[in-house]
């Protein structure tokens, strides 16, 4: 049986929407409809609002808090709080431990997802700034869980990014981003990657086999910038700067049309000169 707090409040056309009591059923403002008002107050679900207040209260107590305290802080009657706490516990958003409620796995996943989204937005904004400073498209990529991941790309219509005509994850041997990330891995991780994503020719300039690629990576060294001339796509040249934070292999890369190849190395040098400032902004996000 629903609690009293979950019963829908009667519609009151004389109360402004901002002051109306939220309920679990959509309310119909007959007066507004009769006079043809087009502005409609949003439908608010009271029990959802109350549950969110309980979650916020629980989140403010890392060590947990009892039901009575959470009810008081959320401004709820204790019987209503008990109903909602049982539901939140059942769904995994809260967890009861030794008489107190703490955030559950479901709430932690929401928090993690929001934090990751915020990091990606910040990375995109940072790349956009340095794209404008350097004047070329910028890419930020990492090697994570055995795969190449392009985290963010910043380009413009006047300076477009390389079109991903062949999956970047499967063609790391051919582009500067992939070669830069693979160079930072140990021999076992490189061979594992190439077993899953074998070398194949994409252009006449692409490396021809695994052995040649591995020799090239060994000769280059882990933290040496990579320059690639039309190995992934004809008409494009790229450069990638290696970044390592802890055990995370990462790279910042740029690209220009092959007709403007003379811009590549100056732009790469400028990126290297400015990379300290850039990394101070990206530092906490590299391990995304």
């Amino acid at each position: 049986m629903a609690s009293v707090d979950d019963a829908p409040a009667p519609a009151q056309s004389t109360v402004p929407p901002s002051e109306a009591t939220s309920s679990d059923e959509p309310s119909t403002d007959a007066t507004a409809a009769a006079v043809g008002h087009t502005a409609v107050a949003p439908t608010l679900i009271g029990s959802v609002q109350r549950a969110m207040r309980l979650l916020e209260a629980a989140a403010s107590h890392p060590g947990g808090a009892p039901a009575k305290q959470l009810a008081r802080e959320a401004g709820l009657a204790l019987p209503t709080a008990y109903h909602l706490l049982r539901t939140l516990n059942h769904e995994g958003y809260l967890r009861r431990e030794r008489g107190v409620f703490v955030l559950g796995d479901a709430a932690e996943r929401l928090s993690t997802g929001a934090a990751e989204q915020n990091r990606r937005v910040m990375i995109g904004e940072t790349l956009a700034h340095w794209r404008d400073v350097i004047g070329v498209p910028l890419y930020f990529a990492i090697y994570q869980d055995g795969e190449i991941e392009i985290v963010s790309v910043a380009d413009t219509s006047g300076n477009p990014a390389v079109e991903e005509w062949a999956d970047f994850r499967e063609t790391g041997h051919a582009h500067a981003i992939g070669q830069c990330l693979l160079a930072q891995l140990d021999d076992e991780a490189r061979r594992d990657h190439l077993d899953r994503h074998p070398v194949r020719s994409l252009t006449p300039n692409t490396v021809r086999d695994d052995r040649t690629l591995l020799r090239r990576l060994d000769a280059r060294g882990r933290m040496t910038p990579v320059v690639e001339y039309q190995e992934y796509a004809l008409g494009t040249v790229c450069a990638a700067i290696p970044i390592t934070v802890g055990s995370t292999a990462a790279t910042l890369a740029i690209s220009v049309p092959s007709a403007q190849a003379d811009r590549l190395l100056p732009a790469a040098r400028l990126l290297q000169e400015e990379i300290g400032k850039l990394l101070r902004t990206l530092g906490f996000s590299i391990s995304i």
Side-chain angles (χ1 to χ4, degrees):
M1 179 180 294
S3 67
V4 173
D5 286 5
D6 283 344
Q12 298 181 16
S13 61
T14 58
V15 179
S18 61
E19 299 176 11
T21 301
S22 61
S23 69
D24 287 351
E25 297 292 337
S27 63
T28 303
D29 192 336
T31 303
V35 297
H37 288 176
T38 57
V40 179
T43 298
L44 303 179
I45 307 301
S47 58
V48 175
Q49 292 177 306
R50 291 186 281 275
M52 296 305 293
R53 290 203 295 272
L54 281 172
L55 281 175
E56 290 171 353
S60 68
H61 298 282
K68 288 183 180 180
Q69 182 176 359
L70 295 177
R72 182 172 64 253
E73 293 180 2
L76 301 177
L78 189 56
T80 299
Y82 276 131
H83 283 302
L84 293 172
L85 289 170
R86 279 196 296 269
T87 301
L88 291 168
N89 181 74
H90 180 269
E91 297 298 324
Y93 290 96
L94 289 178
R95 186 175 65 254
R96 190 172 186 180
E97 295 180 349
R98 298 183 296 278
V100 299
F101 289 90
V102 297
L103 291 181
D105 292 342
E108 296 290 348
R109 287 194 296 272
L110 287 177
S111 175
T112 300
E116 180 174 332
Q117 183 176 9
N118 289 338
R119 286 195 296 268
R120 287 176 181 267
V121 169
M122 187 277 292
I123 290 171
E125 292 173 347
T126 303
L127 291 190
H129 168 74
W130 290 101
R131 171 204 64 203
D132 295 339
V133 170
I134 299 174
V136 294
L138 253 69
Y139 311 75
F140 178 56
I142 61 175
Y143 195 83
Q144 181 169 264
D145 299 327
E147 299 292 350
I148 294 166
E149 180 184 353
I150 309 296
V151 176
S152 188
V153 178
D155 65 351
T156 65
S157 57
N159 288 301
V162 178
E163 181 183 355
E164 187 179 0
W165 71 274
D167 192 328
F168 282 145
R169 293 172 301 177
E170 299 177 2
T171 57
H173 62 281
H175 48 72
I177 288 173
Q179 292 178 33
C180 188
L181 292 175
L182 291 174
Q184 296 178 60
L185 305 180
D186 60 31
D187 187 64
E188 181 180 354
R190 289 178 195 167
R191 292 183 182 279
D192 172 72
H193 183 90
L194 293 175
D195 285 343
R196 290 179 288 111
H197 304 302
V199 168
R200 57 190 175 96
S201 294
L202 302 181
T203 77
N205 300 323
T206 307
V207 64
R208 288 293 182 262
D209 54 67
D210 293 4
R211 184 177 302 175
T212 303
L213 175 66
L214 291 172
R215 280 203 305 267
R216 179 192 293 183
L217 296 177
D218 286 336
R220 177 177 290 133
R222 293 183 65 252
M223 301 307 293
T224 303
V226 174
V227 177
E228 169 258 302
Y229 292 94
Q230 304 188 77
E231 294 181 44
Y232 174 79
L234 293 176
T236 303
V237 296
C238 305
I241 311 297
I243 304 167
T244 300
V245 177
S247 60
T248 302
T251 182
L252 285 161
I254 59 175
S255 65
V256 298
S258 57
Q260 303 173 26
D262 58 324
R263 297 177 57 203
L264 184 66
L265 293 182
R269 282 193 290 269
L270 180 56
L271 178 60
Q272 281 187 288
E273 292 169 2
E274 301 292 346
I275 208 165
K277 300 175 187 176
L278 199 157
L279 289 181
R280 280 195 289 274
T281 307
L282 289 180
F284 71 91
S285 302
I286 286 179
S287 59
I288 189 170

